[in-house]
Amino acid sequence: MRALFTFIFVFTFSLQAQVQYDGPADGQITGGYEVSTDDFTTESGMHYGKLKLFNDLSADNYPEGRGGYFGGEKITSSRTLLDDSILVYRSFNGIPDLKVSIPPDPYLACGPEYVIHAVNSRFRISDKEGNTIKTINADDWFANVLDAPNSFDPKVIYDDFENRWVMAWLHLNNNSNESYYLISVSDDENPLGTWYNWAIPGNLNGMTPDGYWADYTGVGFDDKAIYLASDQFTYAGEIFKYERIKIIDKSTLYISSGPAVVQWKDLWNIKYPGTNVTPYMIRPAQMADPSSEYYFLVIEPDSISANKTSVGLYKLSDPLGTPSLTGTTIDVAEYQDPLNPSQMGGGTPLKIWGSNFLNEPVFRNGKLHATHTVANGDLCSVRYLCIKPATNELVSDFVISDQEHYYFYSALDVNTRGDVLITYSRSSANEYVGAFYSVINAYSGLPSSSMMMQSGKARYVKTFGGEQNRWGDYMGVWVDPVDEETFWIASEYTPEENVWGVWVSAIRTELFQEPTYTINTESTDLGLVEIPATAESQALIIRNAGQTPLEIYSMTLNESAFSLNLPVSLPVTLQGYDSLKFTVTFEPAMTGVYSDSIVISSSDQQALRYVSVVGEAFRIMPANGGFLYGSTGSSGGSALIQIDPVTGTGTEIGEHRFSAVTDICIDRGNDEILGLASGASVTNIVRVNSEMGDAWTKVEADALLYSFTITTDGTWFATDNVGILYTINPENGELTEIGNTGILISALAENPLTGELYASLSAGDNKDELYKIDKATGSAQLLGSTGIDNYIDALTFTDDGLLWGAYDKIFQPSTLLLINTDNLDTEEIGSIGIKSVLGLAVTGTLITDVSPEEISDLPSEYKLQQNFPNPFNPVTKIKFQLPESANVLLEIYDMLGRKIATLVNEELPAGYYSKEFDASLLASGTYIYKLKTDNFSASGKMMLLK
C-alpha cells in the first residue's frame, strides 16, 4: 500500500522567548587513554564476512526492463523524484541479535571509505562493499577508562569539518551511583587504527555533582564543538529531573597523541521556551554547514497540553566562550503522543517513547530538518518538519501514514541538493516489523512512497520478563561525505521470531557516470526443501545504475542442484535504469547443504561478480513398525536411538540438530516421529527422520512445553512448565487450554486400548508416581507409585497396551522399564547405555527376537551425520559411514564456496568414521562440510561460535 502524505504548511514567524536554565559551568578531566582497533579481533560470533545473511527484497514485485525496479527517465538536476528513480545499490545485514539485550539502538555514520554501525554493546566497521572489517564489544573497547564498563545508547558521527570519527556511549552502575559519557575519537578519517577514549562523569554539572545519571544522549556537532544532550534521572526510582546540555571543545578532543585535558561547559535544568515547564529529550543538531548559532529541538511537554501545537527551538551562541541559550516555540499542526504499535501475530505492543524527537535533527542550507512519531488515530505516523531557524519559519510539516500501517522510530539526513531520506520501522495487523524509507525531493518537496529495505519475517515479542516490548530506540542515516548522492541507512526489522535484526543499505538519488552493476542481493538462500518436493525458485534483478550502457556477458553455475532461468540470451545490454530479472531454481536430488556461486561477467569496473547461492534439502522417513525409538537430551548427545526391548541396549541412529528433543511419539496418520525442542519461551514441535535422526521444525508453539503426545484419534496434547494441559493445532501450533493438571509432568502417553492418558512426574516429593489425565478437564488422578524412586523421563505404549518407560540415575545411563498398568509393578529391562533418554516412541508391537549381536557390524548405506557439537568452539567431530570400500573426499568450505580444509582424501574400507575438525584459526561464522565418493555425495552446515 502506498503511504499517504498529509501536508500541513503553516508559515509562522515566532518571536524569541525567554529560556530559563542553570549554568553555564566549566568542567574538565585530565587524562584519557589510547586504544587501537588492531588490538581487537572480530568479536566472537559476530563475523559474517561479506553479505553472509540473506536479503529478501521481494524481487517478484519489480518487473524487468526499463521502468522496472529503477524505471523512469534519466534524472536531471531539476527533476521530480519518482519511486523508480531511487537506486538501492548496496544491501547487507548489520550486527545480529545475540538475544541478550533490548532494545538494539541501531545507529550509523559514513566516512570516506568506511561505514560504522552500532547497536547496544557493539559496533562494526565495514567497507562500502559490505565486508565486515571489525566487530568490537563496546565494554572491551572502553575497558581502559573504566574497570567494568556497562556500555549502552551508542551514537557515532563522522565530523567532516575535521575528518574525525566520534563515538559516544553511556555507562551506568546503579549500585555505585556511577554515570559516565564514554567518548571515543579517531586520530584521522580512517577508523582503523588509533582512537582516544575518555570517561566524562555524567552526574556533574561543571564540576559539581548533581546526584543524577545521564540517559538518552543526543550527539550533535558543528565546526566548533561536540554537543551532548541527556536526560538526567535519580538513581533510586529512576525519576526524571531535567535536561543537560554539555558543550565539549573539539580542540581538546581532536588530538594527535597523548590524551590530556578535555574541557566542557554545561547548561542544565532547561525549561521549555517561555514557560517554567521541564521538557524531555532535547536533541542537538548535526550541523552540515557552519553557522553563528547552534540549534536544539524538543517537543512540547505533556504538562502543557496533550494536544500539542508547538515544538521548542533553542539557539546557542558563543559555545566556547560564554554560552547563551535563547529559544522560541514554532507553531505546528496539532499532534498527540501515539499508542504503542502492534504487529502481525499480536502479542505485547512495541514500545515507543511518545512523540519525542529520538534522533538528531540535521541543519543544512539554512534549514533544520527533523522527524518524529505522532498519533494517527489508533495508528501512528512518521512526521517530517523543516524549519528556517534564522527567521523561525516553518517550511514543511507533513506525515507519512496510511490507514493500515504503524510508522515509527524515524531518522533522517539531507544531502547538499536538499533531498531528504527518512528511514523508519513499519508494521500492521498483517505485516511483521520491517525496515522502510521514503525520500523527499528537494525541488518538488514531494516524497516517494514507503519503500522497503527489508521485510519483517516473524513476530517480535521480547520483554525478558518485563512489561515493555522494546524496539528502536534509534535508527541511522548518513550522507556519504564523498558521494552526496548516496544515503547510508541502518534500520531495524525482524529476521526471525523474537529476534531483532539491522539491515544496512546504500540508496542513491542519481545515476553513476560509468556503467554500474547492481543486484538486489549478493547472496540468496533458496531455503529448506523436503525431498521429494517441487523446485524452489527465487528472483534476482541485475540493474544498471550508470548512465553508460552495461553489458552482461555471461552467467554460470556449477552445482547441478541449482539452475538459472534467463528470459533472454546473453550477452545483453542494459541502459541506465534498465534491469534484467531472472530466477535461480533449487531442485536437489539428495539431502544435505548445497552451495555455489553465480559468476556474472559484465562491463562493470569489477568485471566478475559473484552471487552466493545456498539451499538445504532434507528427507523425513517414517518410523519402522515394531522398533522402539528413544530420544536423548544434550548430555546424551541429542540423538535418535533404537532400543532393544529384550536387553534395553540403545544404539545411536543419528543426531537431531537440536540441543534436546524430548517426549517423542508417533503420528499414526503417517507414522512419523514427532517431539519437542524447547527454547527460552517457545517450543518447536519437530519431525524426526527415523533413518538418520535429524529433526526439522513442523510448527512452533508459543509456550514452554514439557510433555507431548498424539492420541489415536490424531489429537495433539501437551503440558507446559506449570502443568497446564493443552491441545495443539497441528497446522499452526496454536494452543487451546484444557485445564490445570495440578502436577508438573515429564511425559505423556495414551493407552491405545483404553484411550486413557498416562503421565509421569517431573517434580515433586514422590518421584515415581503415575497419573491418569482427564482429556476433557486436565484433572489428574493418582494411580500410584512404580517403586523405582526416580522420576520417569519417558513413556510410550505399544499397540498391545504394554507401557514402556525410561529413567535416569544421576551420572548414569538411562534404564529401560516395562510397567504393568494393572498394579504398576515395574521391571527394569536393562541399561540403555546412553544418558538422558527423554522420549520413547513405538508403532505397532515390538519385535523382540532380533538382538544387536545378530545385526551386521558394517553399515548398510552411505551416511553423513550432523557434526557434533554444533555450534562448536573450536573443535567438532564429523561422522560418516561407508557400506563399501570407496575413495573418500571430506572437505570444509566457507559460505562463499572457498575451500578451507581437506580432512580426508584417500581410499577407506567399509565402516564407521569420525574426523575431528579444528577451527582455531578461523573466524566465527557458518561453514559447509562436504563428503564425496564415487557413488555418494552429501553436505552439512555447521556454525563456529568463538
Side-chain angles (χ1 to χ4, degrees):
M1 177 180 291
R2 183 181 178 89
L4 305 178
F5 299 87
T6 304
F7 293 84
I8 307 102
F9 294 101
V10 181
F11 296 94
T12 62
F13 298 87
S14 303
L15 299 176
Q16 295 294 111
Q18 181 182 3
V19 176
Q20 300 179 42
Y21 62 92
D22 295 330
D26 293 328
Q28 67 176 41
I29 56 170
T30 301
Y33 294 86
E34 185 175 311
V35 64
S36 174
T37 58
D38 296 337
D39 298 332
F40 296 82
T41 57
T42 290
E43 186 187 54
S44 298
M46 292 300 101
H47 183 81
Y48 284 85
K50 183 177 180 180
L51 308 172
K52 286 299 195 302
L53 298 181
F54 305 115
N55 191 2
D56 179 17
L57 289 180
S58 300
D60 288 332
N61 294 330
Y62 305 120
E64 65 274 15
R66 178 170 293 279
Y69 184 76
F70 296 140
E73 298 301 321
K74 180 183 179 296
I75 300 172
T76 65
S77 60
S78 60
R79 92 275 187 215
T80 297
L81 186 70
L82 302 175
D83 290 3
D84 52 13
S85 301
I86 298 170
L87 317 176
V88 182
Y89 79 96
R90 287 288 180 271
S91 202
F92 54 94
N93 227 315
I95 305 174
D97 187 1
L98 290 183
K99 306 178 184 180
V100 295
S101 64
I102 50 174
D105 290 344
Y107 209 81
L108 172 144
C110 177
E113 297 182 59
Y114 298 96
V115 175
I116 299 183
H117 35 122
V119 298
N120 256 331
S121 79
R122 290 162 285 149
F123 66 94
R124 173 174 289 180
I125 303 171
S126 302
D127 67 20
K128 292 181 180 179
E129 293 291 322
N131 297 300
T132 294
I133 310 301
K134 293 279 184 177
T135 303
I136 297 174
N137 183 285
D139 288 348
D140 296 338
W141 183 255
F142 288 107
N144 59 357
V145 294
L146 288 177
D147 288 337
N150 175 33
S151 310
F152 64 98
D153 272 6
K155 293 293 177 72
V156 56
I157 63 173
Y158 180 75
D159 180 355
D160 50 8
F161 290 111
E162 303 289 344
N163 297 319
R164 299 277 190 130
W165 295 87
V166 180
M167 289 193 294
W169 301 66
L170 291 175
H171 162 86
L172 171 66
N173 186 329
N174 261 318
N175 295 327
S176 57
N177 287 2
E178 281 185 352
S179 176
Y180 286 97
Y181 306 96
L182 302 176
I183 307 298
S184 192
V185 178
S186 68
D187 66 342
D188 58 23
E189 75 280 357
N190 187 344
L192 300 175
T194 302
W195 291 62
Y196 305 105
N197 287 352
W198 292 269
I200 298 175
N203 53 8
L204 299 181
N205 291 323
M207 297 299 289
T208 303
D210 68 353
Y212 310 132
W213 62 276
D215 196 14
Y216 283 110
T217 307
V219 180
F221 67 98
D222 62 8
D223 55 328
K224 308 174 188 65
I226 300 295
Y227 302 85
L228 308 180
S230 57
D231 308 330
Q232 301 300 120
F233 287 86
T234 61
Y235 288 98
E238 297 190 358
I239 300 170
F240 172 67
K241 300 303 290 186
Y242 55 70
E243 294 287 305
R244 177 195 291 138
I245 292 172
K246 185 175 294 292
I247 307 160
I248 305 176
D249 186 343
K250 286 202 296 193
S251 67
T252 67
L253 285 175
Y254 293 1
I255 56 178
S256 58
S257 64
V261 175
V262 170
Q263 298 175 339
W264 66 81
K265 297 177 183 291
D266 285 334
L267 310 176
W268 66 96
N269 198 19
I270 301 158
K271 306 301 181 183
Y272 194 70
T275 75
N276 193 36
V277 178
T278 301
Y280 183 60
M281 213 170 287
I282 294 175
R283 298 291 90 175
Q286 294 175 349
M287 308 283 282
D289 303 323
S291 175
S292 60
E293 299 176 316
Y294 182 83
Y295 305 114
F296 302 83
L297 276 181
V298 72
I299 69 161
E300 182 179 311
D302 291 341
S303 58
I304 294 178
S305 175
N307 296 324
K308 305 172 178 43
T309 57
S310 69
V311 296
L313 171 66
Y314 298 96
K315 303 178 181 182
L316 182 72
S317 59
D318 195 17
L320 301 183
T322 304
S324 176
L325 194 66
T326 59
T328 188
T329 57
I330 305 295
D331 293 336
V332 297
E334 182 179 299
Y335 62 100
Q336 294 86 35
D337 290 343
L339 300 174
N340 289 327
S342 297
Q343 60 187 310
M344 186 161 71
T348 306
L350 300 152
K351 176 64 178 177
I352 59 176
W353 299 105
S355 54
N356 294 291
F357 292 112
L358 298 176
N359 279 69
E360 292 75 8
V362 175
F363 178 78
R364 176 161 261 172
N365 299 332
K367 297 176 183 177
L368 189 63
H369 305 262
T371 181
H372 63 141
T373 304
V374 296
N376 173 26
D378 292 336
L379 303 170
C380 52
S381 305
V382 163
R383 185 185 195 160
Y384 166 70
L385 295 171
C386 179
I387 299 166
K388 285 186 177 179
T391 58
N392 302 328
E393 177 185 349
L394 179 65
V395 178
S396 293
D397 182 351
F398 63 83
V399 294
I400 300 173
S401 68
D402 58 45
Q403 300 309 307
E404 177 182 347
H405 296 95
Y406 299 87
Y407 295 77
F408 50 100
Y409 279 124
S410 55
L412 60 72
D413 204 355
V414 56
N415 63 17
T416 300
R417 185 173 55 234
D419 293 330
V420 178
L421 188 146
I422 304 178
T423 189
Y424 44 85
S425 295
R426 195 182 86 174
S427 69
S428 76
N430 301 305
E431 182 177 274
Y432 298 121
V433 191
F436 288 78
Y437 67 94
S438 298
V439 179
I440 303 168
N441 178 245
Y443 299 100
S444 69
L446 299 174
S448 69
S449 66
S450 180
M451 306 182 75
M452 184 179 68
M453 287 173 58
Q454 186 60 266
S455 62
K457 307 296 189 299
R459 190 180 64 140
Y460 181 90
V461 178
K462 187 184 292 189
T463 65
F464 291 126
E467 296 180 356
Q468 295 181 352
N469 186 17
R470 296 294 299 276
W471 189 259
D473 290 326
Y474 315 114
M475 302 296 167
V477 187
W478 209 271
V479 172
D480 195 313
V482 296
D483 178 10
E484 282 279 336
E485 300 297 337
T486 295
F487 293 86
W488 287 87
I489 312 173
S491 208
E492 196 175 346
Y493 75 108
T494 51
E496 57 183 285
E497 184 83 6
N498 301 329
V499 174
W500 53 258
V502 180
W503 198 258
V504 179
S505 291
I507 311 294
R508 279 184 64 84
T509 54
E510 284 280 8
L511 286 173
F512 292 98
Q513 292 293 321
E514 66 278 1
T516 303
Y517 162 103
T518 67
I519 193 164
N520 61 309
T521 178
E522 295 190 36
S523 295
T524 186
D525 189 348
L526 275 296
L528 197 59
V529 172
E530 182 176 357
I531 298 174
T534 56
E536 292 293 326
S537 297
Q538 282 192 11
L540 292 91
I541 301 175
I542 296 174
R543 315 172 187 86
N544 182 12
Q547 297 180 26
T548 306
L550 174 71
E551 302 289 337
I552 306 296
Y553 302 129
S554 64
M555 286 189 259
T556 58
L557 263 170
N558 292 320
E559 173 58 63
S560 60
F562 300 113
S563 59
L564 291 175
N565 308 293
L566 295 167
V568 295
S569 298
L570 298 182
V572 68
T573 300
L574 301 181
Q575 303 296 327
Y577 291 119
D578 272 5
S579 57
L580 172 65
K581 180 179 175 182
F582 64 98
T583 59
V584 57
T585 299
F586 179 45
E587 194 168 12
M590 301 179 67
T591 62
V593 178
Y594 293 79
S595 65
D596 198 2
S597 290
I598 306 172
V599 182
I600 302 172
S601 173
S602 75
S603 62
D604 178 82
Q605 291 183 6
Q606 186 174 336
L608 291 180
R609 297 279 185 160
Y610 301 87
V611 178
S612 174
V613 183
V614 298
E616 188 167 7
F618 72 100
R619 177 185 284 111
I620 299 295
M621 297 300 292
N624 292 305
F627 282 19
L628 179 60
Y629 295 94
S631 183
T632 68
S634 55
S635 62
S638 184
L640 183 69
I641 63 175
Q642 183 182 333
I643 302 173
D644 183 341
V646 175
T647 65
T649 303
T651 304
E652 182 176 314
I653 295 173
E655 292 165 357
H656 285 317
R657 299 173 59 255
F658 290 88
S659 60
V661 173
T662 63
D663 237 21
I664 60 173
C665 60
I666 303 296
D667 183 348
R668 286 178 170 82
N670 53 22
D671 285 338
E672 286 185 1
I673 304 171
L674 274 69
L676 302 180
S678 296
S681 60
V682 298
T683 300
N684 293 297
I685 291 91
V686 299
R687 304 162 66 201
V688 183
N689 179 7
S690 69
E691 286 194 353
M692 298 185 68
D694 46 314
W696 304 87
T697 298
K698 179 176 176 67
V699 293
E700 187 176 273
D702 193 14
L704 185 59
L705 301 178
Y706 269 31
S707 66
F708 171 67
T709 195
I710 302 176
T711 57
T712 52
D713 65 359
T715 304
W716 291 19
F717 284 96
T719 62
D720 65 11
N721 57 335
V722 294
I724 304 297
L725 179 69
Y726 299 92
T727 58
I728 306 175
N729 185 324
E731 300 301 320
N732 56 24
E734 182 178 342
L735 299 173
T736 300
E737 183 175 333
I738 301 299
N740 193 333
T741 65
I743 56 176
L744 298 182
I745 295 175
S746 177
L748 283 173
E750 184 199 42
N751 187 333
L753 301 182
T754 66
E756 296 170 315
L757 199 58
Y758 282 67
S760 60
L761 293 179
S762 66
D765 295 333
N766 300 315
K767 302 178 181 179
D768 53 5
E769 290 179 341
L770 290 185
Y771 290 79
K772 285 184 182 178
I773 307 299
D774 189 308
K775 295 177 182 177
T777 65
S779 61
Q781 174 190 351
L782 176 63
L783 293 175
S785 173
T786 61
I788 63 170
D789 196 30
N790 276 285
Y791 295 117
I792 299 176
D793 301 307
L795 293 172
T796 191
F797 277 94
T798 52
D799 283 357
D800 53 4
L802 295 180
L803 178 59
W804 299 80
Y807 77 93
D808 257 353
K809 292 181 180 178
I810 298 176
F811 306 123
Q812 295 183 24
S814 294
T815 298
L816 181 66
L817 306 173
L818 182 59
I819 305 168
N820 186 323
T821 55
D822 293 331
N823 54 24
L824 299 192
D825 285 347
T826 300
E827 177 186 356
E828 294 193 7
I829 301 299
S831 173
I832 297 173
I834 299 172
K835 295 180 180 179
S836 299
V837 175
L838 303 178
L840 292 173
V842 66
T843 178
T845 58
L846 291 177
I847 300 171
T848 60
D849 57 349
V850 179
S851 67
E853 289 77 13
E854 294 175 288
I855 300 174
S856 171
D857 289 333
L858 293 179
S860 60
E861 62 178 348
Y862 288 99
K863 184 183 297 184
L864 174 65
Q865 294 189 16
Q866 180 69 41
N867 68 300
F868 186 83
N870 187 47
F872 67 100
N873 176 28
V875 176
T876 188
K877 289 183 178 180
I878 301 171
K879 295 181 180 180
F880 61 94
Q881 63 188 46
L882 308 174
E884 59 188 350
S885 178
N887 292 310
V888 177
L889 183 62
L890 179 61
E891 296 176 320
I892 310 298
Y893 292 83
D894 67 12
M895 290 296 285
L896 291 179
R898 298 173 297 197
K899 185 167 70 174
I900 301 299
T902 299
L903 302 186
V904 179
N905 186 9
E906 59 181 314
E907 184 175 354
L908 295 175
Y912 299 89
Y913 295 90
S914 177
K915 294 297 179 181
E916 187 174 274
F917 174 52
D918 188 340
S920 300
L921 300 180
L922 297 179
S924 297
T926 301
Y927 294 88
I928 306 295
Y929 56 96
K930 294 184 177 181
L931 178 71
K932 289 185 179 180
T933 73
D934 295 335
N935 302 314
F936 176 78
S937 67
S939 57
K941 186 162 51 178
M942 56 185 174
M943 176 69 76
L944 172 62
L945 289 178
K946 290 188 174 179

